[in-house]
Amino acid sequence: MAHLMHWGALSQPAAKSLYFDYAATTPVDERVIKRMVECLGREGLFGNPASQSHPFGQQARAQVEQARSQVASLVGTQPQRIVWTSGATESNNLALKGVARQHGRGHIISSQLEHKAVLDTLQQLQSEGWAVTYLSPDAHGAISPQAVQQALRADTRLVSLMLVNNELGTITDIARIGEIVREHGALFHVDAAQATGKVDIHLDSLAVDLMSFSAHKTYGPKGIGALYVGKRAEGRIAAQIHGGGHEGGLRSGTLATHQIVGMGEAFAIAKTEAALERQRITFLRERLLRALRGLPLQVNAASAERIPHTLSLTPDRDIVLGSTLAISSASACNSASNAPSHVLLALGLRPSEALRTIRVSFGRFTTHEEIDSAAAEIRRAIELPIP
Ligand SMILES: *Cc1c(COP(=O)(O)O)cnc(C)c1O
């Protein structure tokens, strides 16, 4: 969902617009920027973390390992379980292709609600001979443990589901589903790109074997992510990028110290501030919903368990929003195409409803005033007489 709806001319000053697209990406927190800059210049920690024969490399390595601990700490696991990647897209590719190519052939269970980084990867694996079942959401808009249970086959090797949906904000019951998958003996991969800092994650008490993370959805930089590789997944996942044998041979390439340090700092901040931030954002959501009350629009997946940060709203007719409100249209998640969102269609929305759906997502830097302005803008658009 990268495109902006009814965005004005490119020359328009960005300062005038209201940013309500936190689910697409977040600004980098100033504290994170400060730590990243320290890693770049001649005076900084610019050494190659793999150069262990001199202090430049040793200091960079120490920073990388501290960041690994910070990421591990937010999600309740040990640092040695974290593998650096370029983002959640790569983590998803490594998890799915890594497991599939280590196992040869078999069956994978996923869902119709997944991000393209999972769906497109699964499509590739289907072309390589894998069978994939795409579960449909239940009446609430969530993937139920029962649906997973019923889809398991003798040759099911892997189940891949997202923790928080990027369009709807729905939360998947990965605790219960993990137990079912583990009992069966398959591996369980979870895309948690939208979840860090928004829901508590305790990997050491979850039956999850692989989990994907991204920094830029949690106030860190773009281009850095991580994959959690649990004990049961060890040796059952094949590297997808070769050369140099970094990260235990699972993902080669010189470690991007500044990116990694940025992700570590961003996750450390999330660890200390997430609970309060969630409270504040819940208030903001209530304020927005109050301001929109009475308007002819529906909140999608309203009865499902959801994070407060992301709202999917479908007005009962087409609306034209002003160019000051930066939000995602539901069609935009299919990038260049104008196709309706596969997620909303899976929920049972008609294509016309899916096309006029808007995703309003907010976060750390959103103010009450911005919420009021966004609500006023949406209200104005909906109450505008039909031409
Ligand atoms: C953003 C996102 C991704 C992709 O993450 P990148 O780090 O941008 O590659 C994958 N899955 C979900 C659910 C996302 O929201």
Side-chain angles (χ1 to χ4, degrees), residues 23-24 86-90 92 115 117-118 162 164-166 191-194 213-217 223-225:
S86 63
T89 300
E90 188 191 329
N92 289 342
H115 191 272
V118 164
M162 68 207 321
V164 172
N165 184 276
N166 49 303
D191 177 351
Q194 290 283 343
F213 304 108
S214 176
H216 76 93
K217 308 282 173 69
I224 183 72

Side-chain angles (χ1 to χ4, degrees), residues 36-191:
M36 291 179 70
V37 169
E38 288 167 7
C39 300
L40 292 170
R42 274 175 63 203
E43 302 296 320
L45 302 153
F46 68 88
N48 187 329
S51 306
Q52 285 307 288
S53 57
H54 54 68
F56 295 89
Q58 289 158 3
Q59 283 164 9
R61 166 60 72 174
Q63 294 293 316
V64 163
E65 295 315 317
Q66 189 200 337
R68 204 188 300 274
S69 299
Q70 290 169 318
V71 168
S73 168
L74 178 67
V75 296
T77 190
Q78 291 81 47
Q80 66 269 24
R81 301 260 150 246
I82 300 297
V83 173
W84 300 116
T85 66
S86 63
T89 300
E90 188 191 329
S91 298
N92 289 342
N93 271 264
L94 175 56
L96 301 176
K97 291 177 184 166
V99 169
R101 290 175 180 164
Q102 189 82 348
H103 287 75
R105 285 292 153 84
H107 176 239
I108 298 171
I109 297 171
S110 188
S111 93
Q112 297 173 345
L113 305 183
E114 300 309 303
H115 191 272
K116 287 284 176 183
V118 164
L119 293 179
D120 287 353
T121 305
L122 290 174
Q123 202 173 20
Q124 173 61 29
L125 292 176
Q126 282 179 283
S127 78
E128 295 171 20
W130 280 78
V132 182
T133 299
Y134 298 93
L135 301 175
S136 322
D138 64 15
H140 301 287
I143 300 301
S144 72
Q146 293 80 350
V148 174
Q149 178 87 63
Q150 283 162 14
L152 284 167
R153 308 192 331 200
D155 65 341
T156 304
R157 303 275 172 257
L158 178 68
V159 176
S160 177
L161 295 169
M162 68 207 321
L163 177 46
V164 172
N165 184 276
N166 49 303
E167 290 187 44
L168 307 168
T170 47
I171 302 170
T172 309
D173 184 0
I174 59 165
R176 181 75 197 101
I177 292 172
E179 288 168 18
I180 293 168
V181 175
R182 184 152 296 184
E183 193 172 332
H184 177 276
L187 293 173
F188 187 26
H189 166 251
V190 174
D191 177 351

Side-chain angles (χ1 to χ4, degrees), residues 206-338:
L206 282 171
V208 169
D209 303 299
L210 298 155
M211 189 176 270
S212 301
F213 304 108
S214 176
H216 76 93
K217 308 282 173 69
T218 310
Y219 312 96
K222 295 166 187 61
I224 183 72
L227 180 68
Y228 159 83
V229 180
K231 209 166 191 60
R232 281 175 77 251
E234 264 176 27
R236 293 170 75 181
I237 171 169
Q240 298 302 306
I241 294 180
H242 301 89
H246 306 73
E247 298 297 279
L250 262 185
R251 203 282 193 173
S252 288
T254 301
L255 293 175
T257 313
H258 62 301
Q259 303 285 78
I260 288 169
V261 163
M263 181 167 180
E265 184 68 17
F267 276 40
I269 293 170
K271 169 125 179 141
T272 52
E273 300 185 359
L276 255 180
E277 189 163 287
R278 219 174 302 159
Q279 264 183 27
R280 201 181 73 81
I281 286 168
T282 303
F283 282 125
L284 291 181
R285 182 201 33 198
E286 295 319 310
R287 189 180 180 99
L288 179 66
L289 288 175
R290 243 190 340 268
L292 297 177
R293 200 177 286 160
L295 290 177
L297 52 79
Q298 71 175 39
V299 179
N300 293 305
S303 64
E305 202 191 334
R306 286 178 297 133
I307 55 165
H309 310 60
T310 303
L311 280 173
S312 173
L313 304 172
T314 306
D316 72 350
R317 61 181 175 82
D318 289 344
I319 61 168
V320 179
L321 282 162
S323 59
T324 52
L325 188 55
I327 57 173
S328 271
S329 74
S331 62
C333 46
N334 293 327
S335 54
S337 81
N338 238 353

